[in-house]
């Protein structure tokens, strides 16, 4: 789990650096949302992959909060499906805790379909 967290942190740092034009200057003209911008960086080859944080987590977290407030015990482990995007088809699938994950090659259609 620590390796996965480190990978996600490294990807976030890479996206931030690319968004700033490869410099530490925080001024950027990029006004797109993080999802589309990240996928555009993958498609252009500036980065190799982008990993989605599931936007459906918020309603789940809200439900957990309501359960806790009601004195109930929510599930302690929950798996939420994520999307994995890459520049090419070098890796088409991989496993997380024994569950096969598909990797999507970024195309214009994929970018246009995001959020």
């Amino acid at each position: 789990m620590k390796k996965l967290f480190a990978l996600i942190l490294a990807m976030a740092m890479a996206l931030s650096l690319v968004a700033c034009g490869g410099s530490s200057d925080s001024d950027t003209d990029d006004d797109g949302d993080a999802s589309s911008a990240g996928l555009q960086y993958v498609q252009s080859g500036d980065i190799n992959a982008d990993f989605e944080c599931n936007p459906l987590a918020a309603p789940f977290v809200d439900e957990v909060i309501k359960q806790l407030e009601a004195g109930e015990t929510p599930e302690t482990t929950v798996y939420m499906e994520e999307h994995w995007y890459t520049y090419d088809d070098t890796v088409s699938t991989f496993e997380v805790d024994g569950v096969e994950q598909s990797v999507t090659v970024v195309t214009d259609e994929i970018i246009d379909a995001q959020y």
Side-chain angles (χ1 to χ4, degrees):
M1 185 58 99
K2 289 180 182 179
K3 289 181 181 179
L4 180 59
F5 177 75
L7 175 63
I8 292 170
L9 180 59
M11 290 302 303
M13 292 169 58
L15 282 173
S16 297
L17 184 60
V18 171
C20 293
S23 72
S24 60
D25 183 3
S26 62
D27 291 335
T28 179
D29 292 331
D30 182 6
D31 61 357
D33 63 60
S35 298
S36 295
L39 293 177
Q40 289 167 350
Y41 295 137
V42 172
Q43 187 180 36
S44 69
D46 289 332
I47 60 175
N48 291 327
D50 190 12
F51 310 107
E52 174 186 61
C53 292
N54 193 318
L56 301 178
F60 170 76
V61 171
D62 183 54
E63 182 61 30
V64 168
I65 291 169
K66 289 176 182 175
Q67 289 175 343
L68 291 170
E69 289 175 340
E72 300 170 5
T73 303
E75 293 290 323
T76 56
T77 303
V78 175
Y79 173 77
M80 299 197 81
E81 185 174 334
E82 306 284 356
H83 289 99
W84 312 89
Y85 300 96
T86 188
Y87 176 74
D88 62 23
D89 62 356
T90 301
V91 176
S92 60
T93 62
F94 64 96
E95 285 189 15
V96 174
D97 294 332
V99 177
E100 186 172 281
Q101 306 288 312
S102 296
V103 178
T104 302
V105 176
V106 177
T107 63
D108 289 336
E109 293 79 19
I110 296 294
I111 294 171
D112 290 345
Q114 291 303 303
Y115 312 107

